[in-house]
Amino acid sequence: MEEFREIKSISQMHHLLGLNKPMHPAISLVNMKDIKLSEELFNQKYIWDFYMISLKFENCELKYGRQYYDFEEATLVFSSPGQVFEAKKQPETLNENGWALYFHSDLIQKSDLGKNIKSYGFFSYKSNEALHLSGKEKEKISRCIEAIEDECQQNIDKHSQTVIVSNLELFLNYCNRFYDRQFYTRSTHQQDVVEKIEELLVDFFNSNNSIQQGIPTVKFCAEQVNLSPNYLSDLLKKETGKNTQEHIHFHLIEKAKNLLLSSNASVSGIAYDLGFEYPQSFGTLFKKKVGMSPNKYRQLN
């Protein structure tokens, strides 16, 4: 069985990166130029029990699909606790202008941010779905980071956690706004993805694949367009008003309507053909989406 090294604390992470003891036990801002890489870091897989946000500055034009974009000042990448990292070989140089912000879930556990952290879907995006910042956006982000760093360097008192978490939440809200802008500026590419998903689902249900494969999942759809599930759902929501699951359900219900009206098969038989393990689940979903039971729909039409 493959072994993973679990890094449970910010202090452990500092030790791994050759850094001094962190100023705060639950959050740390690390400048890339301060990292001292050792041989023990490489050829090992790690699981980190905290959130990470890293920024690097771009030195070239950004190409996305077939187009170049002006937002190339800096790139932000996000990850959440439990993700696996692997350093296969030591880079020749580190990006000395970059930084990484690490924070443990203990920091936000009792706050509103802790309750809402899962709403920031970009923590589950792939690295190639990073946030690319304009110059002005980078300035706003930098001010938040400076405020967090300044507070972390103060003596910890009863207000420290509240101030740090407030600035962190502001930072994440800016990231939400900038991702919305990124979705908008890449609208042509996004429409291509929407069309591919629509074609995928139409072909899937028309070919009766659900009989053998079951109902398509969000993960399945995302894999077909090489995106992470969260990123695909956010993209579709911005472009169409419906997330991936809602798109799947739409095509599923349309197929169900067709089968109800064009065949004499029982509702249970149709449910099994659509990939449902339990007919009751089909009935519940159909009524929720259509406003009536499958039998009632068949009778009225």
Side-chain angles (χ1 to χ4, degrees), residues 253 282-294:
I253 294 300
F282 167 60
T284 300
L285 178 65
F286 192 93
K287 187 171 184 178
K288 178 181 178 182
K289 297 296 182 181
V290 182
M292 64 184 76
S293 69

Side-chain angles (χ1 to χ4, degrees), residues 18 22 47 74-75 102 145 156 163 191 210 213 227 232 236 239-240 274 284:
I47 298 178
T75 300
Y102 304 89
I145 288 298
I156 297 177
V163 175
Q191 281 298 325
S210 53
Q213 300 179 31
L227 295 173
L232 175 61
L236 291 175
E239 291 292 325
T240 69
L274 289 171
T284 300

Side-chain angles (χ1 to χ4, degrees), residues 22-37:
M23 299 291 292
H24 192 286
I27 186 169
S28 176
L29 180 69
V30 174
N31 290 311
M32 296 300 184
K33 63 182 179 181
D34 296 331
I35 294 176
K36 301 176 181 65
L37 300 177

